[in-house]
Amino acid sequence: MNIIIRWHHRLSLFYILISIMCNPTNAQTKSISKNTVTNTKWILKRRPQGVFDPEKDVQMVSEEMNMATTCGDDEIVVQVDTLSVDAFIRTMLDAEAYHGAVDLGKTIPALGYGKVVYAGKNANKKIGTAVQCMLGAQAYATVKASEAFTKMDLPMMSPTAGLGLLGVTSGITAYAGIFYVCKPPKKGDTVVITAAAGAVGSIAAQLAKSTGARGTII
């Protein structure tokens, strides 16, 4: 964590604030029974000009949200627990982005997991179910029930592993790249991995090493 803060100081502090924001308070928990919650979220205030500046580019806002009127018949409201910090988030803050650009005034995107606290009548998720999907940097997220899948916890693994080591944007991407996109490495092979200090590259390097290959890290 110290290395991440030193290399990406401003972005890291921004997501530390997000993690604090997504820890529900007693007042928020009590208000769920009344179908009304206070949703605190980060929105895009302006397009980043080069290096991301949390003081100028984003803004934290709070709003009252009536879940009964906000949530559609096929939607659910998720109380956010944990969010993932992924490189693609920064690219989505630009006007043109491969993964789709975030409109000004809209919630900053982020993958994460949380608990269903309200469900539309046609949603296929029960209240209390832990789900994982694109939730956004906010305390409560309203999403399509079909886009949220039940969170799977594996024995001897951290609850957050599904957002990192076993996540689509990190571990699974690295695994697919090493063993399916490339020819699976063999003992004695030399594997060249660029950006090996990143979330995907660091895992790819370890997977290559596990086969007996020699890793050349760039």
Side-chain angles (χ1 to χ4, degrees):
M1 176 61 74
N2 290 334
I3 295 176
I4 295 175
I5 292 178
R6 185 165 65 248
W7 286 354
H8 304 287
H9 180 69
R10 294 190 175 190
L11 190 59
S12 298
L13 291 179
F14 169 54
Y15 280 101
I16 289 173
L17 290 174
I18 288 178
S19 66
I20 296 173
M21 177 196 72
C22 291
N23 185 20
T25 63
N26 292 333
Q28 289 174 324
T29 302
K30 290 179 181 178
S31 66
I32 291 177
S33 61
K34 300 178 181 179
N35 290 338
T36 300
V37 294
T38 300
N39 187 30
T40 302
K41 59 185 181 180
W42 287 97
I43 62 172
L44 182 61
K45 186 177 180 180
R46 73 163 194 175
R47 302 288 180 194
Q49 306 298 314
V51 178
F52 173 83
D53 188 339
E55 296 181 357
K56 297 179 180 179
D57 300 336
V58 294
Q59 180 181 3
M60 179 184 281
V61 299
S62 296
E63 59 185 11
E64 293 298 309
M65 184 175 79
N66 186 312
M67 297 185 289
T69 57
T70 301
C71 186
D73 290 345
D74 60 345
E75 294 180 324
I76 56 176
V77 176
V78 180
Q79 186 176 29
V80 180
D81 183 285
T82 302
L83 296 173
S84 174
V85 181
D86 296 293
F88 76 86
I89 297 174
R90 170 60 185 85
T91 66
M92 293 182 70
L93 306 185
D94 294 331
E96 297 182 4
Y98 175 79
H99 298 94
V102 179
D103 293 331
L104 293 176
K106 296 298 183 180
T107 306
I108 301 296
L111 293 167
Y113 65 81
K115 180 178 66 175
V116 177
V117 293
Y118 192 91
K121 62 181 181 181
N122 295 327
N124 59 348
K125 298 290 189 297
K126 295 181 179 180
I127 293 177
T129 302
V131 297
Q132 185 170 325
C133 61
M134 180 69 81
L135 296 172
Q138 55 189 334
Y140 294 90
T142 302
V143 298
K144 294 286 187 182
S146 59
E147 297 176 359
F149 58 91
T150 302
K151 185 177 182 299
M152 181 176 63
D153 291 325
L154 299 177
M156 298 181 289
M157 296 300 295
S158 166
T160 61
L163 297 177
L165 180 61
L166 302 178
V168 173
T169 61
S170 299
I172 294 178
T173 299
Y175 186 89
I178 290 293
F179 294 108
Y180 290 93
V181 177
C182 298
K183 182 179 179 181
K186 303 186 297 294
K187 184 176 182 180
D189 285 349
T190 298
V191 180
V192 178
I193 300 173
T194 61
V200 177
S202 60
I203 297 174
Q206 295 176 73
L207 290 173
K209 186 177 180 180
S210 71
T211 68
R214 296 172 296 178
T216 300
I217 298 173
I218 300 177

